[in-house]
Amino acid sequence: MISTVSVDAEPYAFDFDPMQSALLIIDMQRDFLEPGGFGEMLGNDISRLRCTIEPNRQLLAAWRSARLKVIHTREGHRPDLSDLSPAKKKRSRSQTTIGDIGPMGRILVRGEPGHDIIPELHPFSGEPVIDKPGKGAFFGTDLQTILQNCGIRKLIVTGVTTEVCVHTTVREANDRGYDCLVLEDCVGSYFAEFHAVGLKMIRAQTGIFGWVSDSARTLSALTRAGLC
Ligand code: TIU
């Protein structure tokens, strides 16, 4: 019988039943994080994202050794781009845009090298990978069906970027009745200010969108519960 895990967090402790909770890792893809990828090509400082790799790696290792549920997501589109809305296409205004040939194959197209999850956090077989056409992980995907079928009620959310895909997913999850804990050293943004404010927004107003903690406090909660 596994006890409840209680993570020291803001605005107050995040308690979860490990059998009804999942680690949701958002878009840790090569094109966003690797040198020479799409993110860096757009002039972004990828070190702001790369600092999340090691804490995510440690958390994922603990999560897997405790045999808890892990779900990965990837942002991307069908090769024929039929699921890329004209609005999203139009707003990707750089010279090279979604679907074009980039440094690691066609940008944000499923099956291309840059679309893959970085090797440090590569999914194991049996771990669901959600391919999402939008920023949120619920829009246009079967994530909610998977969560319902697995009895998942709470999400520990990590990945990139804090104010875009992580935030959108947390907001979507919140409206669907899921409690979310976001780990600040495991999420990253190309913009330090957006990262800080994004996290502040989640925990404001006694947790309007959820809870914020970090990987150390989460790992120590797992240890206290005898899970790692
Ligand atoms: N995964 C994700 O956040 N996709 C983005 O496009 N993020 C940006 O910050 N651009």
Side-chain angles (χ1 to χ4, degrees):
M1 177 72 181
I2 298 167
S3 57
T4 298
V5 180
S6 184
V7 182
D8 179 36
E10 291 82 39
Y12 53 91
F14 180 82
D15 296 336
F16 66 94
D17 176 340
M19 303 316 292
Q20 296 184 349
S21 306
L23 173 61
L24 181 64
I25 307 179
I26 305 288
D27 300 359
M28 292 293 280
Q29 291 163 257
R30 297 184 63 201
D31 250 335
F32 293 127
L33 286 126
E34 289 198 347
F38 179 49
E40 191 174 64
M41 194 186 82
L42 294 178
N44 294 303
D45 176 4
I46 56 164
S47 70
R48 294 194 179 282
L49 268 52
R50 291 192 63 78
C51 61
T52 69
I53 296 174
E54 184 52 24
N56 265 295
R57 199 191 58 73
Q58 287 183 24
L59 183 73
L60 180 57
W63 212 260
R64 282 170 170 161
S65 75
R67 299 184 181 282
L68 305 182
K69 188 88 187 159
V70 180
I71 300 174
H72 307 259
T73 73
R74 299 183 294 206
E75 182 177 351
H77 297 275
R78 295 168 180 267
D80 65 5
L81 304 182
S82 55
D83 58 353
L84 174 61
S85 73
K88 186 174 177 185
K89 171 96 180 154
K90 210 164 96 188
R91 279 184 288 102
S92 312
R93 275 197 189 182
S94 67
Q95 287 237 308
T96 316
T97 184
I98 297 172
D100 293 344
I101 300 290
M104 292 187 212
R106 292 182 67 203
I107 292 162
L108 293 188
V109 169
R110 293 177 195 155
E112 299 290 329
H115 174 262
D116 202 4
I117 292 173
I118 56 170
E120 296 91 330
L121 302 174
H122 213 264
F124 281 180
S125 76
E127 293 175 354
V129 178
I130 307 291
D131 276 319
K132 60 187 190 62
K135 304 305 181 194
F138 288 85
F139 171 72
T141 75
D142 54 5
L143 176 59
Q144 189 160 8
T145 304
I146 292 173
L147 296 179
Q148 278 168 352
N149 290 342
C150 296
I152 301 296
R153 311 292 302 276
K154 300 198 179 193
L155 299 170
I156 289 76
V157 185
T158 74
V160 298
T161 63
T162 312
E163 79 282 11
V164 183
C165 292
V166 170
H167 231 272
T168 307
T169 298
V170 167
R171 288 169 184 240
E172 287 183 329
N174 185 62
D175 279 346
R176 286 165 176 77
Y178 297 95
D179 282 335
C180 293
L181 173 67
V182 178
L183 303 184
E184 60 185 320
D185 56 332
C186 294
V187 296
S189 168
Y190 297 125
F191 306 95
E193 182 192 357
F194 295 168
H195 174 77
V197 174
L199 293 170
K200 223 170 161 177
M201 288 167 73
I202 287 167
R203 61 180 182 243
Q205 302 183 66
T206 45
I208 191 126
F209 296 124
W211 286 253
V212 175
S213 186
D214 54 43
S215 61
R217 288 187 281 170
T218 305
L219 289 170
S220 100
L222 291 176
T223 305
R224 280 199 307 276
L227 287 165
C228 74

